[in-house]
Amino acid sequence: MIQVREIDADADVRRSFPVMRQLRPHLTEDEYVARVHSQRAGGYRLAIVDEDGEVRAAAGFRILEMLVQGRHLYVDDLVTDETRRSLGHGGLLFDWLMDEARRAGCATLELDSGVQRLRAHAFYFAKRMHISSYHFRIDTR
């Protein structure tokens, strides 16, 4: 059985780590759990695709409101288990996020994606997303 659901319990967050680590390899499991919990104060939420007790995909997201685009769902993290890609788990999770955006009264669903993630970009284009801006960064250290 496949189910998409939002998670909150430490045990579920830990279960999602092996998949999330594929996108965020710089984090240890304990750092990941701590960051998920600390970011909750800023509205961070976590959803997974659970197939027969195994996490197949995970997404960290939040509802934001900004002058430029109003209320929107921002996806911080979106990853499908690399051993299970192209089996529909990512699409299922993306569609759940779209439904969540609509339920929350969001005008858009938005995300940033590393320039090297070409397969992810193909997925986003297939989901009818488009590139709307550049994201700039500078180190402060």
Side-chain angles (χ1 to χ4, degrees), residues 34-49:
R35 285 190 186 190
V36 166
H37 285 289
S38 69
Q39 290 183 127
R40 287 192 192 281
Y44 186 85
R45 298 160 60 187
L46 191 58
I48 61 168
V49 174

Side-chain angles (χ1 to χ4, degrees), residues 12-26:
D12 284 331
V13 173
R14 285 187 186 282
R15 281 187 340 103
S16 71
F17 178 70
V19 173
M20 190 63 77
R21 177 182 57 213
Q22 295 170 29
L23 181 64
R24 307 290 181 225
H26 62 285

Side-chain angles (χ1 to χ4, degrees), residues 52-112:
D52 299 324
E54 297 291 329
V55 176
R56 302 299 188 199
F61 66 99
R62 58 187 90 220
I63 305 297
L64 300 172
E65 192 157 341
M66 298 171 67
L67 293 176
V68 68
Q69 70 258 51
R71 188 173 177 85
H72 63 282
L73 188 148
Y74 182 80
V75 179
D76 293 59
D77 318 287
L78 178 59
V79 60
T80 299
D81 183 346
E82 62 194 4
T83 67
R84 298 294 205 166
R85 293 209 173 123
S86 299
L87 296 176
H89 301 110
L92 194 62
L93 186 52
F94 186 92
D95 294 347
W96 184 92
L97 290 164
M98 285 290 291
D99 289 342
E100 188 63 21
R102 290 181 186 109
R103 282 189 293 271
C106 296
T108 59
L109 181 149
E110 304 190 15
L111 57 80
D112 288 314

